[in-house]
Amino acid sequence: MPFPLSERERSRWNILALISVSHIIGAAAQYGINTLAPFYQHDLQLSRAQIGLFFTAFYLGMAGLSYVAGWLADRLGVRGTVLSGHLALGLWTIAASFAPSFAWAFGSFFLAGLGYSFLNPASTKGVMAWFYRDERATAMGIKQTGVPAGGVLAAVLGPSLVLLAGWRGALAGLGAINLFFGFFFWALWREPAAESGSPGSVDRSSPEVLAPLKVKSLISLSFGTALLLLGQMSLLTYIPLYLKETMGLSAYWASQALALIQMGGMVGRIGWGLVSDRLFQGKRKIVLVLIGLLSVALSLCLGWMPPGAPLYFLLPVIFLSGLCMVGYQGVSYALIGEIAGKAQTGAALGIVITVNSVGTIIGTPLFGHLVDSTGSYSIAWLLLAGAILLGIMALIFFLKEPKPV
């Protein structure tokens, strides 16, 4: 039976909490890669570029199955897609903890990325089904806070687990949590009641379902957000090493600083969603442009910051970088769903993630290579600022935003 309105409203916030926890658990395994880097770098005898290649491996996996995962989510539903993702992510993260070499770890993180690719399209489709447009960016932002919250969990829990069980035990623990949570999600997930006019009601024979995807708009959005994502991944991958090598922090405190970035990302994903829904009445493009311009300014600050800069200046820049470079995705995911329509959200997000991943696959190790080649982080941060600006120009000139309805 359809829920009374008040009961449906209560249920959708419970469902949103479940989706958000799914992101926390999945992202904790993902961000274990960079959080634990100062600990496993010596054991595996890795260069900075090789550490960046681990994120490349992860995103290669995501790119390889994102469209398929989104297509499956559109047709098979959220429950089974999320379960499959957590199981694969957990198993291959555990496998990475046994790595004796770079090649083993690279392969394991690639396969873990295949599993992670199932989580975002399915959860985004879930939000599109349960929430209306006037609150969708906020709900999407709340969902996406699970990703930086997972980073906070990894940054806080990971180094402590290293002290108890070594980096291998810490990584295996993050994988095991995913295995258990997959079955927990399966047991608790529910689809929205099929109420007339509800956000979750989809007629598979409707024009929205049968219409072709708006690939041109999705590609324009993909290019712009790919370079924002490059900023995010470069920030999250190299900040611990940057703080250790340039600013003189210990490996432990350099890893802990990731929590500050991820906290900024959590605030940003909710805050920018509210700005888009309330201040700009559901407009997404202008908010993404604003976030991008702030990200350019913050990358320039990191590039121009002198070695040993005082913490009262360094820490706010790191927090604000997280607010922008990590905090943008709730708004962008809402826009993806609105360009595609709720019936094709999974496939559309799969396309965007695939294109976004190319930027991360190429750009993240390139950032590390620039530092290895020049011996300086400044050049890499300044070039990153230029890349983000290029992406924002693409959004300004080529992205056509659908009108709010």
Side-chain angles (χ1 to χ4, degrees), residues 18 89 126 162 245 283 293 329 336 350 361 379:
L18 179 65
L89 175 59
V162 170
E245 297 169 5
K283 295 178 181 177
L293 293 175
Q329 282 182 311
I336 293 164
I361 289 164
I379 294 174

Side-chain angles (χ1 to χ4, degrees), residues 167-201:
W167 68 264
R168 296 183 187 276
L171 195 58
L174 295 174
I177 293 170
N178 272 274
L179 290 178
F180 288 116
F181 184 79
F183 293 105
F184 183 78
F185 186 96
W186 172 274
L188 294 185
W189 175 260
R190 61 197 301 186
E191 297 290 341
E195 302 169 39
S196 177
S198 74
S201 57

Side-chain angles (χ1 to χ4, degrees), residues 127-374:
V127 171
M128 291 293 294
W130 279 90
F131 288 87
Y132 294 100
R133 178 168 183 146
D134 64 353
E135 58 190 5
R136 194 173 286 149
T138 302
M140 205 74 76
I142 293 171
K143 171 185 83 84
Q144 288 300 121
T145 61
V147 178
V152 172
L153 179 64
V156 173
L157 185 61
S160 300
L161 287 175
V162 170
L163 298 178
L164 295 174
W167 68 264
R168 296 183 187 276
L171 195 58
L174 295 174
I177 293 170
N178 272 274
L179 290 178
F180 288 116
F181 184 79
F183 293 105
F184 183 78
F185 186 96
W186 172 274
L188 294 185
W189 175 260
R190 61 197 301 186
E191 297 290 341
E195 302 169 39
S196 177
S198 74
S201 57
V202 177
D203 178 1
R204 300 301 303 178
S205 63
S206 68
E208 180 187 28
V209 176
L210 300 176
L213 279 171
K214 299 175 183 176
V215 175
K216 183 178 178 180
S217 294
L218 290 172
I219 293 298
S220 298
L221 177 59
S222 297
F223 180 79
T225 55
L227 294 171
L228 274 174
L229 183 63
L230 170 60
Q232 178 184 140
M233 291 297 101
S234 297
L235 183 73
L236 293 169
T237 301
Y238 294 106
I239 273 290
L241 298 174
Y242 168 71
L243 295 178
K244 177 185 174 185
E245 297 169 5
T246 303
M247 299 299 165
L249 275 66
S250 68
Y252 179 85
W253 287 111
S255 294
Q256 290 289 306
L258 279 172
L260 187 63
I261 293 175
Q262 300 287 18
M263 288 172 64
M266 292 170 65
V267 173
R269 291 186 182 200
I270 297 174
W272 291 119
L274 286 169
V275 167
S276 178
D277 283 340
R278 306 303 181 193
L279 184 60
F280 290 100
Q281 290 80 48
K283 295 178 181 177
R284 317 300 186 200
K285 177 177 173 178
I286 188 173
V287 178
L288 288 174
V289 170
L290 175 61
I291 293 169
L293 293 175
L294 290 172
S295 298
V296 170
L298 291 162
S299 295
L300 293 174
C301 284
L302 289 170
W304 289 328
M305 194 174 298
L311 290 178
Y312 64 77
F313 181 71
L314 176 62
L315 295 182
V317 170
I318 289 175
F319 176 82
L320 291 172
S321 297
L323 184 82
C324 295
M325 293 186 221
V326 182
Y328 77 91
Q329 282 182 311
V331 177
S332 69
Y333 281 18
L335 180 54
I336 293 164
E338 288 158 5
I339 289 173
K342 58 180 176 288
Q344 301 186 80
T345 294
L349 187 61
I351 290 173
V352 175
I353 290 175
T354 300
V355 176
N356 279 188
S357 297
V358 173
T360 299
I361 289 164
I362 298 171
T364 306
L366 179 60
F367 187 104
H369 177 71
L370 285 170
V371 178
D372 286 335
S373 299
T374 64

Side-chain angles (χ1 to χ4, degrees), residues 55-69 110 113-118 349-361:
F55 256 123
T56 295
F58 197 91
Y59 272 82
L60 272 171
M62 285 182 61
L65 273 186
S66 286
Y67 179 75
V68 174
F110 169 78
L114 291 178
Y116 190 86
S117 69
F118 284 77
L349 187 61
I351 290 173
V352 175
I353 290 175
T354 300
V355 176
N356 279 188
S357 297
V358 173
T360 299
I361 289 164

Side-chain angles (χ1 to χ4, degrees), residues 61-140:
M62 285 182 61
L65 273 186
S66 286
Y67 179 75
V68 174
W71 184 88
L72 288 172
D74 286 336
R75 284 152 182 80
L76 303 181
V78 174
R79 175 186 274 122
T81 311
V82 171
L83 172 64
S84 300
H86 279 294
L87 292 181
L89 175 59
L91 285 170
W92 290 110
T93 301
I94 292 172
S97 72
F98 292 96
S101 64
F102 166 78
W104 178 305
F106 184 92
S108 297
F109 288 135
F110 169 78
L111 293 168
L114 291 178
Y116 190 86
S117 69
F118 284 77
L119 302 183
N120 252 331
S123 63
T124 299
K125 184 173 180 64
V127 171
M128 291 293 294
W130 279 90
F131 288 87
Y132 294 100
R133 178 168 183 146
D134 64 353
E135 58 190 5
R136 194 173 286 149
T138 302
M140 205 74 76

